[in-house]
Amino acid sequence: MTCSANPRPAESQTAVRIAGNRRVGAGVHLLRFRAPAIARAAQPGQFLHLLAPGMALLRRPFSIHDIDGDGIAILYRIAGQGTALLSRLRQGEPLDVVGPLGRPFAIENGRPHHIVVAGGIGIAPLQLLLRRLRAAKLSPLLCYGCATKTELRPHLRVKRIVATDDGSCGAKGFVTAALEAALDRYPGAQLYGCGPWPMLKALAAIAARRRLPCQVSLESFMACGVGACQGCVVKAVDGYRTVCHDGPVFESAAIDWDQEPVV
Amino acid sequence: MTCSANPRPAESQTAVRIAGNRRVGAGVHLLRFRAPAIARAAQPGQFLHLLAPGMALLRRPFSIHDIDGDGIAILYRIAGQGTALLSRLRQGEPLDVVGPLGRPFAIENGRPHHIVVAGGIGIAPLQLLLRRLRAAKLSPLLCYGCATKTELRPHLRVKRIVATDDGSCGAKGFVTAALEAALDRYPGAQLYGCGPWPMLKALAAIAARRRLPCQVSLESFMACGVGACQGCVVKAVDGYRTVCHDGPVFESAAIDWDQEPVV
Amino acid sequence: MNRNTPVKPVDLAVRVCGLRLKNPVIAASGTYGYGAEYRRLAPPADFGAIITKTVTLAPRAGNPPPRVFETASGMINAIGLANVGVEAFLRDKLPGLRRCGALVIANIAGNTADEYARLARRLDGAPGIAAIEVNISCPNVRHGGVAFGTDPRVAASLTRKVKKAAKLPVIVKLSPNVSDIAAIARAVEDAGADALSLINTLYGMAIDSRRRRPVLGNVTGGLSGPAIKPVALYCVHQVCQAVKLPVIGIGGIRSAEDAAEFMLAGACAVQVGTATFADPGAARAIARGLAAYCREHGFGKASDITGALHK
Amino acid sequence: MNRNTPVKPVDLAVRVCGLRLKNPVIAASGTYGYGAEYRRLAPPADFGAIITKTVTLAPRAGNPPPRVFETASGMINAIGLANVGVEAFLRDKLPGLRRCGALVIANIAGNTADEYARLARRLDGAPGIAAIEVNISCPNVRHGGVAFGTDPRVAASLTRKVKKAAKLPVIVKLSPNVSDIAAIARAVEDAGADALSLINTLYGMAIDSRRRRPVLGNVTGGLSGPAIKPVALYCVHQVCQAVKLPVIGIGGIRSAEDAAEFMLAGACAVQVGTATFADPGAARAIARGLAAYCREHGFGKASDITGALHK
Ligand SMILES: Cc1cc2nc3c(=O)[nH]c(=O)nc-3n(C[C@H](O)[C@H](O)[C@H](O)COP(=O)(O)OP(=O)(O)OC[C@H]3O[C@@H](n4cnc5c(N)ncnc54)[C@H](O)[C@@H]3O)c2cc1C
Ligand SMILES: Cc1cc2nc3c(=O)[nH]c(=O)nc-3n(C[C@H](O)[C@H](O)[C@H](O)COP(=O)(O)OP(=O)(O)OC[C@H]3O[C@@H](n4cnc5c(N)ncnc54)[C@H](O)[C@@H]3O)c2cc1C
Ligand SMILES: Cc1cc2nc3c(=O)[nH]c(=O)nc-3n(C[C@H](O)[C@H](O)[C@H](O)COP(=O)(O)O)c2cc1C
Ligand SMILES: Cc1cc2nc3c(=O)[nH]c(=O)nc-3n(C[C@H](O)[C@H](O)[C@H](O)COP(=O)(O)O)c2cc1C
Ligand code: FES
Ligand code: FES
């Protein structure tokens, strides 16, 4: 253990102060704080396990949305008590941060195309991925689906295809349909995805059909966040895998897509 | 029940907003909010059962410190988690208030003198009592004991005798000793007291020795606050009595002073 | 929702062993006194029924203080069944409660099975009592102080005695401090109980590390409140699978969602205890919230929630 | 404090059935994996001892998800004893833990008493294991799935078999889901156990009222965390009065005061589980806080806290 080389960045527990926390959409907030060690080490797809004062007991996992110098940004949707509480915290209030945790996206430089597929709040971990793909001159394409126009987040300037449930922006319907229509133009693309289970399931089916490599970021209830409790597993084709340690990023072919987790 | 005439003011559950909450001494804060019905009805010695957002489960009882028009003031000492939390609340935040509750001080107009004995934070319920005594032209004397000068609260202009543990103001030593020394000048006085158990016990002994009537306000852990759970009892000479409903104000002669409650 | 569709009213009434409760929310014994104490803050009329503080044959002074203490999302109490005794209850407490039109269930406890039977007989004749709830979590003085509710045979024989003594419906209130609550439930069902209510408090203790003393005057006490809800749900779920009797769910309920969870697990009604201390308006809010829950889930009446857990 | 008085160092070390723990804080089984997972956030060296995840003879995949869920001041889990099996444990997991210099206690469970004995025998020879903790909360397949820890005779005979199979100290971990935990403790003591640890989780359940489904894939689970502390303290207090064996307290401990409460009730050490999830630094803070507690109360060593409850 301590003696084995670990390719992942070392995680730590850090006390930080909130630098900013504002609403950026319907029920969606952006939290910012300084955490130099995490900002230096973190890779796209990794997450932080947060404890805010007033949270009942367990931490809450959030992807690293973006990194700017020493600053970390978390994009979150109010989903329950913990996130509601988080959204009420103000600048200067303390946060306890554990991370960076989990298996990051692997940027496959050898691939001719890189397509990033986001569904709703699933954009959260993908902003940093897009940034790193762009920095590596891999000119990613973003396929972004959400309910309606106003949910779209401002983000990096990258090529994009948009789909909304109500057609208020881009194609009307599922982002995976829009992706499918575009894929012929991107042979051999590496796919990356994050979003609701049905979207990821459809994405995995497309990847399988077209024999494209695809990495997806999954969610689960968590307790420890470090692989110690076996609490956060998803069903993979060869057994259970922890989302916190074996994931959150998995090869889509490794997942048993018939076992939708309840989250 | 509903049919019997009840001399006590009717209690209610009210949502209020904090009008002010500031530190007024070492670990002592003053909380203010508007609650017209309570302000109209409450009598000195009664208490409110407060629930603040973030409080774990049970309410916390606090005496009504003062009433000014529609405004209620609570004077409280940080004693644990609940009061620490209360002290961090800001203007505009919500509070859930149940009250006024409990047996108030009875102002015995027939008595020639009225002496109010306060120990430390025990001044909390006595400010309103002093105000009402003064309004009734009963020119009360306040005997006020506390650890040190800076703990003394500004309050109504009334006659007073002060004692501090460190002698930094008034007599050095116990307020009950100072009271004893003065009592000859106030024959037949009605005594009223609130403070730590040992002080009240000494006061009760003085009252018994001099055959003076004496009302004391007691404390206890509480659950319901209305006499339903039997959780908050003190030992009286004739059995257990609920502090919330039979008290908090008791005749000192009714209490078994050898049974110091653990609070 | 379409503004032209009239909102169909939800029928909140439920039936429990022949009684009609106007809503499924019942005040739990020991947390609502004899009804008068909360008459303004949580009027008896808000509840489907009121269960009064456990009464014993003779009045009881109860335990030395402190008697209550807050714990993480819960509280422990050691009141010691302080009560006025059955005669004062009938004479001084019951008439007021009756005038409020509340459905009154009287909760009883004794030191011996005979005491329970005598209490049941005494209450059976009294006008204004709709049912008897039997608190079997008390130590049985004839059997070395082991609680009646711990042994299926003891619980069954107690139930039979009470049933023989009273014509009123008998609800047996189960203790969670047992190895197999379903076994107790089955034994009590076989012995003729009309309904079950569960859970009573979990055994608990608090220590003041600063003073190095137990907090409660009685050293140990009973744990209640949201902290115990998962245990209570587990017990209700187990018991509902084991018996056919109506089950009343108790333990940490403070919201309509909590109440719905117990009903989904199979309870036909719920009791609210500790939550009333925190929020006297809890029962009313729960009843209203259950109506909203029924509307959202397409249930025409609250009783449809009972057992409607997807498998 | 007088600046000239040197602060006397507090000796945090405690002895439990022959083992010397450098401090009384132990990682609870199932919450600390096999040690490697928390090596940076909560290094094994912070703990007096590490208890590894329950191992079984064969690897176990565990229960379908969801496996964990937060409740009021607690959580329920139904991991289903997912583990790599005893051989992979010895081969892949133990060596790393040994290199950290941690005192390792291996926790075992089986479907039959024979399986427990085989596990004990296998671990007994392995270098780097200081003691065996026996998880008796598991269903006994030979006896209709009733947990080994529920019946004093079954628990005693299991203890005897494990003791016969191993020379290492045997710690029996008790379940709180019983009518009389002191009776189980006495039976296990008579059967030759070297120490007791308690409590394991309380049976619990959670229901998602919106989806009308049990939350956990396994339907029911075990409740842990601050919510159960009063129950755990009660059990430790009862057991310490009933037996002479050293007792390790477990259940909802997250601060030095919590740990002190269990030690005052009679525990010689404590285990920390759920608190580590919330705060990986909890164990270290508890050990430090216990030193401060000792200083405040004039205890020269942590072991002086054990049983120092005023009566
Ligand atoms: C690795 C990982 C990264 C994540 N990154 C982000 C992110 O960047 N932005 C974001 O908005 N959300 C993210 N989530 C989801 C986020 O953790 C949950 O929304 C949050 O924990 C809910 O907490 P709560 O207290 O508000 O809700 P709770 O009151 O706990 O639950 C409310 C609802 O939220 C759902 N929920 C609870 N816990 C989880 C969970 N761990 N995962 C998914 N759903 C859950 C449940 O369905 C529940 O009904 C991530 C989850 C994981 C596992
Ligand atoms: C009728 C009544 C009127 C009161 N009026 C006032 C007042 O005007 N101003 C004021 O500062 N305090 C008053 N108190 C005391 C106040 O209620 C407690 O200090 C408060 O409840 C402590 O809450 P906590 O969460 O901060 O402390 P906790 O964390 O609950 O406990 C911290 C410590 O406070 C003590 N404590 C807890 N509950 C009580 C209690 N009910 N009574 C006494 N001590 C307790 C315990 O010793 C405990 O160790 C009154 C108490 C009663 C019963
Ligand atoms: C202060 C208090 C007193 C109680 N007294 C009794 C009682 O006299 N008889 C009884 O059967 N249950 C009694 N109970 C148990 C409750 O009726 C209920 O079973 C338990 O508190 C769990 O419900 P809750 O979590 O909603 O409070 C009492 C509970 C509390 C908190
Ligand atoms: C996620 C989780 C997994 C657990 N797994 C085990 C286990 O494998 N074996 C065991 O004996 N106890 C297990 N336990 C029980 C703990 O060791 C401990 O007894 C219990 O959680 C109470 O302590 P706590 O409140 O500090 O967590 C587990 C607890 C949790 C929360
Ligand atoms: S949350 Fe514990 S293993 Fe993933
Ligand atoms: S707090 Fe319930 S009777 Fe006083």
Side-chain angles (χ1 to χ4, degrees), chain B residues 13-36:
Chain B
Q13 181 176 4
T14 324
V16 305
R17 297 252 160 212
I18 293 175
N21 190 21
R22 62 188 171 89
R23 187 177 169 284
V24 295
V28 178
H29 292 245
L30 189 75
L31 171 75
R32 291 177 304 105
F33 51 83
R34 283 191 59 230

Side-chain angles (χ1 to χ4, degrees), chain B residues 106-145:
Chain B
I107 295 184
E108 301 294 351
N109 297 62
R111 285 275 158 185
H113 303 287
H114 295 264
I115 306 183
V116 172
V117 187
I121 191 69
I123 191 71
L126 300 175
Q127 165 111 334
L128 183 62
L129 175 66
L130 287 165
R131 192 184 287 286
R132 296 284 161 93
L133 286 168
R134 210 180 51 173
K137 307 262 184 291
L138 295 173
S139 48
L141 168 70
L142 169 63
C143 294
Y144 190 0

Side-chain angles (χ1 to χ4, degrees), chain D residues 199-293:
Chain D
I199 58 177
N200 212 316
T201 53
L202 284 164
Y203 290 141
M205 181 176 178
I207 288 176
D208 181 335
S209 63
R210 200 161 52 83
R211 295 190 179 82
R212 282 156 50 195
R213 277 208 298 232
V215 171
L216 297 177
N218 186 53
V219 180
T220 63
L223 182 65
S224 65
I228 70 167
K229 194 186 78 172
V231 176
L233 261 180
Y234 171 85
C235 291
V236 167
H237 186 251
Q238 294 292 106
V239 166
C240 288
Q241 290 179 317
V243 302
K244 294 204 182 60
L245 288 184
V247 166
I248 303 170
I250 325 170
I253 297 171
R254 59 174 161 179
S255 70
E257 286 68 38
D258 293 338
E261 292 167 18
F262 280 83
M263 295 181 76
L264 289 167
C268 57
V270 297
Q271 294 182 22
V272 174
T274 302
T276 300
F277 301 157
D279 177 13
R284 183 194 297 239
I286 292 171
R288 282 201 191 141
L290 279 176
Y293 182 85

Side-chain angles (χ1 to χ4, degrees), chain A residues 222-232 242 244:
Chain A
M222 284 187 183
C224 72
V226 298
C229 76
Q230 302 294 315
C232 64
T242 60
C244 68

